[in-house]
């Protein structure tokens, strides 16, 4: 009975994942109401490479940015769901989340270090930062290119 129970759970998980991944409308419904986020995605897709890495504030938009804008995100709160499997991963995720949580305190020299040490190409925040290369802005988001 345990074997069939495990197979059943695995089948349910696979089917659920398939439904979610093949139906992006489940995610887009919330974002469609946010034209500023849609504009941000459009800008990112048109003006950055698929290899670019973005640092965002740790909120729902960070996870959605990865899925809907098809760009790499340095860390999201959802990435932390995997911490139970590896202590090393848990420590790395915690370190990255600390960077994201302190995004509002970044200075010009911090931005340069993020590029060198972490490979971050762009920072997206709702706040204006003292970084010198703002490459996109709308009413809700500011995007800074990180220079080396």
């Amino acid at each position: 009975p345990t074997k069939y129970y495990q197979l059943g759970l695995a089948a349910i998980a696979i089917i659920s994942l398939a439904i979610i991944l093949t139906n992006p409308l489940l995610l887009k419904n919330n974002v469609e109401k946010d034209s500023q986020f849609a504009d941000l995605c459009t800008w990112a897709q048109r003006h950055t490479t698929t290899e670019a890495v973005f640092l965002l504030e740790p909120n729902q938009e960070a996870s959605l940015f990865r899925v809907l804008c098809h760009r790499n995100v340095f860390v999201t709160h959802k990435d932390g769901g995997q911490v139970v499997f590896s202590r090393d991963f848990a420590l790395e995720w915690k370190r990255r989340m600390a960077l994201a949580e302190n995004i509002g305190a970044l200075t010009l020299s911090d931005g340069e270090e993020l590029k060198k040490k972490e490979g971050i190409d762009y920072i997206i925040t709702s706040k204006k930062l003292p970084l010198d290369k703002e490459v996109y802005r709308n009413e809700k988001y500011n995007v800074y290119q990180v220079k080396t």
Side-chain angles (χ1 to χ4, degrees):
T2 305
K3 181 180 177 182
Y4 293 114
Y5 177 74
Q6 290 173 342
L7 287 173
L9 286 178
I12 290 170
I14 290 170
I15 291 169
S16 298
L17 185 61
I19 290 170
I20 290 170
L21 292 177
T22 59
N23 189 356
L25 292 177
L26 293 174
L27 294 173
K28 284 188 178 182
N29 287 339
N30 293 332
V31 177
E32 284 177 349
K33 298 173 188 167
D34 186 353
S35 63
Q36 302 300 313
F37 185 82
D39 292 344
L40 173 65
C41 275
T42 299
W43 176 84
Q45 290 173 336
R46 289 183 181 165
H47 299 282
T48 67
T49 67
T50 55
E51 292 82 23
V53 176
F54 290 80
L55 175 65
L56 291 90
E57 295 166 317
N59 54 31
Q60 183 64 26
E61 283 89 359
S63 298
L64 293 174
F65 188 83
R66 178 182 285 157
V67 174
L68 299 176
C69 304
H70 307 286
R71 292 298 181 268
N72 298 307
V73 175
F74 183 68
V75 67
T76 71
H77 66 282
K78 289 188 177 186
D79 296 338
Q82 304 302 314
V83 300
V84 297
F85 299 110
S86 166
R87 183 176 189 279
D88 290 340
F89 182 84
L91 294 172
E92 177 63 14
W93 176 79
K94 183 179 178 183
R95 185 187 71 78
R96 287 178 177 225
M97 283 300 291
L99 284 173
E101 289 167 352
N102 293 313
I103 201 169
L106 290 176
T107 64
L108 182 58
S109 62
D110 293 330
E112 293 169 357
E113 284 298 307
L114 288 175
K115 177 68 175 175
K116 288 178 189 173
K117 290 184 178 178
E118 309 294 348
I120 294 170
D121 299 297
Y122 297 92
I123 297 170
I124 299 175
T125 179
S126 59
K127 301 171 182 74
K128 195 129 175 71
L129 298 178
L131 302 176
D132 69 344
K133 187 146 186 199
E134 184 178 64
V135 291
Y136 175 81
R137 178 182 358 155
N138 64 28
E139 292 175 20
K140 191 172 179 182
Y141 301 101
N142 300 289
V143 181
Y144 300 91
Q145 185 172 13
V146 180
K147 298 182 347 182
T148 54

